[in-house]
Amino acid sequence: MKVLVIGSGGREHALVWKIAQSPLAEKIYCAPGNPGTAQFAESVPLAAHDIAGLKKFALEKKIGLTVVGPEVPLVAGIADEFAAAGLKVFGPGRQGAQIEGSKVFSKNFMTKYDIPTAQSGTFRRLDEAVAYVKEMGAPIVVKADGLAAGKGVVVCRTEKEAIEALKLIMEKKEFGAAGDQVVVEEFLDGEEASILALTDGISILPLASAQDHKRVQDGDMGPNTGGMGAYSPAPIVTDHLMSEIDVTVLKPFIDGMRQEGISYKGVIYAGIMVTKKGPKVLEFNCRFGDPETQPIMMRMKSDLVPIMEAIIDEKLDGKMIEWHEQAAVCVVLAAGGYPGKYEKGIPITGLDRIDQLENVMVFHAGTKEESGKIVSAGGRVLGVTARGDSIKFAIKKAYQAVDLISFKGMHYRKDIGKKALKYER
Ligand code: AMP
Ligand code: GLY
């Protein structure tokens, strides 16, 4: 079978790498792909949001399975378009993807189906949003309704900061139409975990737990980013907590989608805050997380392709996934200046030295090839991912690999996985 993976980040490199190990995948394409995916998949010069072009390509090449990485094409309805053309596609349709595409939809859905989440209000008018901030007090969180490339959430320490954030989103239209509505919500205190689960719209199969590192600097300081590193499993997610999340979040999610008449197939990613009052949902995403997918794929033993096919055919019930007992840690190497402005086209050295290391993968995120050399082409450049007998050993191995790689301006967090160590003996 021919497989098409859509996207060009570390997540897509990890998915392509995993799919390439499947005996069912005879030929893989990645659109647009990157030099990392190109080691296993033929790159196709089509953007992830070019739905018409991708559909034409998939029909021409007789693609048997399309896997959609990013949220933008999902929210735009790529899965509906592909399914209507008789193509098998992994990912929810436009309606289901609203769970990520609209924070207002997501909050209303959580309230309707009794999924634990922060108390909130939804506003179209600035004065009403400001009044709510004054009523609730700080700290408080302001969220633009629509997609804003992960930048539409502002955690505010003071009422003043919250009012400034509201003005930026609603008056200055920093995120365009994504800011026509805002959600203002209660600040939740606790440790975060990413729970990704596969679903065919009927059954739900959780993946191994993971934890992301959203802030740019060590000790969770500085601005939010797309994610500076991740590890799996997340020891804070004990079996007990996982069952609670299953019962209070995942099952109500899929039952709710069915009640809404939405057949949700693909990944549901719940960003969870583990609070003193139990797990609460910060957000839902309609896709694999990045960088979480990098350590998760390194721990997955089972073939992912038949599971994806079972999801499309609504036959997930009874399917299991086998995992490596070992832990995996991913350290993101970012361009100087990221998450602000950064330069591109900077040569990367040391990638050839990674091959000598066992159970280490360097997943490409923002890279490209220029006259036979790999250069940077984005903010998050590489995801150095290692598997080891414990989180401690996986951390050690990942940073050993990091030490081999360099490019001008490169920066990364030195404390990825540290939070997990307090749970390890
Ligand atoms: P989101 O895109 O909604 O997950 O928000 C991005 C990040 O902002 C989350 O990963 C949290 O670190 C933080 N965040 C979002 N909502 C809240 C909240 N209600 N309380 C505290 N932190 C939050
Ligand atoms: N790592 C966060 C995300 O994928 O949204």
Side-chain angles (χ1 to χ4, degrees):
M1 176 179 48
K2 293 178 185 169
V3 181
L4 168 64
V5 176
I6 297 174
S8 62
R11 163 183 55 211
E12 286 76 20
H13 187 182
L15 287 169
V16 163
W17 169 77
K18 181 67 190 159
I19 290 167
Q21 293 165 42
S22 172
L24 297 170
E26 286 152 293
K27 165 91 187 167
I28 311 175
Y29 296 94
C30 191
N34 66 36
T37 62
Q39 293 165 32
F40 311 96
E42 187 178 324
S43 298
V44 183
L46 288 170
H49 55 79
D50 179 5
I51 297 179
L54 290 164
K55 186 170 85 177
K56 186 163 167 271
F57 175 84
L59 287 168
E60 266 169 27
K61 294 288 181 192
K62 299 192 167 54
I63 300 293
L65 169 67
T66 298
V67 180
V68 187
E71 63 278 15
V72 170
L74 289 168
V75 172
I78 192 171
D80 311 282
E81 295 269 333
F82 271 52
L87 291 161
K88 290 202 170 195
V89 58
F90 179 86
R94 188 199 314 263
Q95 278 187 307
Q98 283 298 302
I99 202 70
E100 176 167 1
S102 165
K103 300 240 188 246
V104 174
F105 174 93
S106 180
K107 284 307 260 196
N108 290 341
F109 180 88
M110 285 190 257
T111 308
K112 185 166 175 189
Y113 295 101
D114 225 4
I115 296 173
T117 185
Q119 195 192 331
S120 69
T122 294
F123 305 94
R124 275 187 188 279
R125 287 180 47 166
L126 179 64
D127 55 344
E128 288 173 4
V130 169
Y132 187 76
V133 165
K134 289 188 173 155
E135 184 194 324
M136 296 282 284
I140 195 153
V141 183
V142 172
K143 302 184 171 187
D145 172 50
L147 292 182
K151 297 187 185 93
V153 173
V154 192
V155 179
C156 309
R157 276 164 307 165
T158 61
E159 285 181 25
K160 190 165 165 265
E161 263 180 54
I163 293 166
E164 273 165 22
L166 285 170
K167 284 186 178 158
L168 209 67
I169 295 171
M170 302 183 89
E171 256 179 17
K172 300 219 174 92
K173 293 280 172 200
E174 175 92 356
F175 309 112
D180 288 350
Q181 288 192 80
V182 291
V183 170
V184 180
E185 72 175 31
E186 165 200 8
F187 172 82
L188 297 175
D189 201 11
E191 194 172 322
E192 284 181 56
S194 304
I195 301 297
L196 281 71
L198 300 176
T199 177
D200 60 356
I202 305 156
S203 310
I204 198 138
L205 178 59
L207 298 176
S209 62
Q211 188 170 119
D212 190 7
H213 297 65
K214 288 244 159 71
R215 304 297 189 105
V216 70
Q217 284 155 21
D218 286 11
D220 294 332
M221 305 296 276
N224 266 333
T225 68
M228 292 298 288
Y231 57 85
S232 171
I236 188 171
V237 186
T238 56
D239 290 349
H240 176 80
L241 182 60
M242 193 58 222
S243 329
E244 194 179 340
I245 293 169
D246 198 39
V247 173
T248 63
V249 177
L250 299 179
K251 289 213 168 76
F253 170 81
I254 207 60
D255 292 346
M257 280 288 163
R258 281 172 74 186
Q259 281 191 44
E260 297 293 313
I262 301 172
S263 156
Y264 190 103
K265 295 177 182 183
V267 179
I268 179 67
Y269 163 145
I272 302 276
M273 185 70 89
V274 184
T275 72
K276 287 200 182 95
K277 290 187 189 154
K280 295 197 180 190
V281 176
L282 294 171
E283 63 163 348
F284 279 118
N285 293 323
C286 63
R287 50 161 176 92
F288 284 105
D290 198 5
E292 292 94 323
T293 301
Q294 303 178 46
I296 290 175
M297 286 303 133
M298 279 205 76
R299 293 190 59 223
M300 190 183 284
K301 267 192 191 166
S302 306
D303 187 344
L304 183 57
V305 175
I307 296 170
M308 287 180 154
E309 290 189 293
I311 286 168
I312 296 165
D313 298 336
E314 297 182 1
K315 289 184 179 144
L316 184 64
D317 190 26
K319 292 277 183 306
M320 304 270 276
I321 295 178
E322 258 197 279
W323 299 95
H324 285 283
E325 285 283 323
Q326 289 177 311
V329 170
C330 166
V331 179
V332 169
L333 305 184
Y338 176 82
K341 271 191 161 169
Y342 52 83
E343 262 185 82
K344 293 181 186 175
I346 299 167
I348 302 166
T349 61
L351 287 170
D352 49 333
R353 295 169 68 193
I354 298 299
D355 297 342
Q356 56 192 321
L357 302 173
E358 217 185 320
N359 293 332
V360 174
M361 278 298 300
V362 176
F363 294 116
H364 290 229
T367 68
K368 69 174 185 187
E369 201 179 310
E370 243 176 39
S371 359
K373 288 207 171 69
I374 306 291
V375 302
S376 71
R380 292 190 290 174
V381 178
L382 298 163
V384 180
T385 312
R387 209 170 62 216
D389 286 342
S390 62
I391 296 209
K392 190 173 152 195
F393 284 113
I395 291 172
K396 206 170 152 199
K397 217 159 165 184
Y399 282 104
Q400 268 171 2
V402 167
D403 284 342
L404 300 176
I405 300 170
S406 78
F407 55 90
K408 196 177 91 225
M410 170 175 119
H411 70 96
Y412 56 91
R413 277 181 61 162
K414 316 278 187 300
D415 66 345
I416 301 299
K418 197 171 162 195
K419 246 185 241 163
L421 294 179
K422 62 178 181 282
Y423 302 94
E424 279 190 346
R425 268 170 297 155

